[in-house]
Structure formats: C-alpha cells, structure tokens
Amino acid sequence: GPSSSEGAGKVSLLKKVPALKDGDFTLAECTAILLYLSRKYNTPDHWYPSDIQKRARVDEYLSWHHANIRANAPKTMWIKVLIPLFTGQPLPSEKLQEVMEGLSTSLKQFEERFLQDKAFIIGSEISLADLVAIVELMQPVGVGCDIFEDRPRLREWRRRVEDAVGKELFFQAHEMILNIKELSNIQIDPQLKEQLAPVLMKMLK
C-alpha cells in the first residue's frame, strides 16, 4: 500500500511498499519483486518453471489474482482492524459482508478454475502462484474470518502449501498477519492518523 515515508519514496517511484533495493537497482510491486528474485537467485524450477506452458499458467494466475483475490481478501484486515485503528470508528457490518461476498465469489473461481483437482495451482508442485495466493488468503484468517473452514478443497490446498514451505517457516512468515488484532491496543500518533485515515477509506471504495 501507499507509504508517506521519505525512505519509501527513495526506493520506489510509486511511494508504495513492498519495494526492493538491490544495490543501485530499485523495484516496486510484489509480483515483479518475486519474479526478479526467482531469476536472480536461480531458484528451483518449480517456483517459476522454465517450461513455457507451466510458466504461462503461473503468469495467468498472477494476472487474475490482482483483480479478484487481492481485490477482496486484504480488505477484511482494513475493515476489522486497520481502519478502526486509524479513524477511531468501526465500519458498518454491511461493509464486511459486501467484501466477504466478493471474496466468496473469487474463492469459488479459484477452486474451480485454478485449483481444480490438482495438488497446487499449476500441478503437482508448488509455485510462486501458490505463495502469492496463500499470503493474501491468510489475511482474513488473521482477523477471524476463517475462509478455509467450510471449503475442504481449499483447506487441503493450504495444508499442502504449509507442508511444502515447512510449517515453521510458514507460520513465521505469517506471524504478523495472524497477530494483526494486537494492533488494536497500540497508540497511533494523531498526525499519522490524520494523514492515513483518508487514504485507507479510499482503498475500500
């Protein structure tokens, strides 16, 4: 999301995080960063396959993800924790219901179009597509919206992702998301509240 810090502006022309600084080279947008790192460090082929059709399947999911899963899943965190924290006011329950309905539609498409009966999104091995998907889908879980509970196929896919990454690393990577409710207890600088509240509200429109 947007960042008002001077440091973010130096790393990313878009003044957004995440951003990467690698020597003199800077890069914004999480998907671009993931692809850059996978190429630079010659990661195992299954993450971003050299096979042109398998790679195209990863690209296909990443393209779909932004307008579907990402368009809804993170909003649960904004609605239940971050916006009340910065504005001092809870949002109407109808707003969360609207987001959850949109997310439910996206999850149905995710299962039927991408996951189908496969172990992972592009087949029998985990890829960057699975990593991008799971990080987004753990955000509703962190605020008490367990989207896996009534979706056995989705739940089994999550278990396989956990096993492929390693449970310890998986929960370490998601520790902040899973403990996001603890932010409700912190004190926010009034000036920062004034700056960020309108930005956060705009993100939900």
Side-chain angles (χ1 to χ4, degrees), residues 62-81:
L62 295 178
S63 297
W64 176 84
H65 175 88
H66 284 275
N68 293 275
I69 300 296
R70 177 161 289 166
N72 290 294
K75 288 181 179 178
T76 58
M77 187 170 60
W78 299 116
I79 290 170
K80 296 200 72 174
V81 177

Side-chain angles (χ1 to χ4, degrees), residues 6-186:
E6 183 180 348
K10 290 179 179 178
V11 176
S12 169
L13 294 176
L14 302 175
K15 294 187 177 181
K16 292 175 64 179
V17 291
L20 171 75
K21 189 174 190 301
D22 184 15
D24 294 332
F25 178 71
T26 60
L27 186 65
E29 300 298 337
C30 59
T31 301
I33 291 170
L34 279 174
L35 297 181
Y36 172 79
L37 292 174
S38 71
R39 291 162 177 151
K40 175 172 181 176
Y41 293 103
N42 194 26
T43 54
D45 191 70
H46 64 85
W47 290 114
Y48 195 49
S50 54
D51 179 278
I52 189 170
Q53 293 186 353
K54 289 183 178 180
R55 178 170 288 195
R57 290 299 182 200
V58 174
D59 293 338
E60 178 184 39
Y61 176 77
L62 295 178
S63 297
W64 176 84
H65 175 88
H66 284 275
N68 293 275
I69 300 296
R70 177 161 289 166
N72 290 294
K75 288 181 179 178
T76 58
M77 187 170 60
W78 299 116
I79 290 170
K80 296 200 72 174
V81 177
L82 297 178
I83 288 179
L85 178 65
F86 281 93
T87 65
Q89 297 291 331
L91 287 175
S93 59
E94 292 80 9
K95 194 65 182 178
L96 179 62
Q97 182 179 350
E98 177 186 328
V99 167
M100 292 303 294
E101 288 173 357
L103 181 56
S104 181
T105 298
S106 294
L107 290 174
K108 187 174 187 293
Q109 293 175 353
F110 176 80
E111 289 186 291
E112 294 178 355
R113 178 179 173 186
F114 291 100
L115 196 55
Q116 300 176 0
D117 59 353
K118 305 188 298 291
F120 298 100
I121 292 175
I122 67 164
S124 60
E125 293 184 294
I126 193 171
S127 71
L128 289 180
D130 299 281
L131 284 190
V132 170
I134 196 66
V135 167
E136 221 79 69
L137 294 179
M138 291 302 289
Q139 294 183 42
V141 175
V143 294
C145 302
D146 192 348
I147 57 172
F148 298 98
E149 186 176 7
D150 298 321
R151 296 181 174 90
R153 178 163 42 174
L154 195 67
R155 186 171 62 247
E156 285 303 303
W157 165 77
R158 172 188 163 174
R159 181 190 57 77
R160 289 190 291 269
V161 173
E162 286 182 19
D163 290 342
V165 172
K167 288 186 180 296
E168 183 178 353
L169 180 58
F170 181 91
F171 285 102
Q172 181 183 344
H174 293 96
E175 183 178 6
M176 183 176 292
I177 290 173
L178 294 176
N179 293 304
I180 195 73
K181 287 183 177 180
E182 293 180 6
L183 287 180
S184 301
N185 301 320
I186 68 172

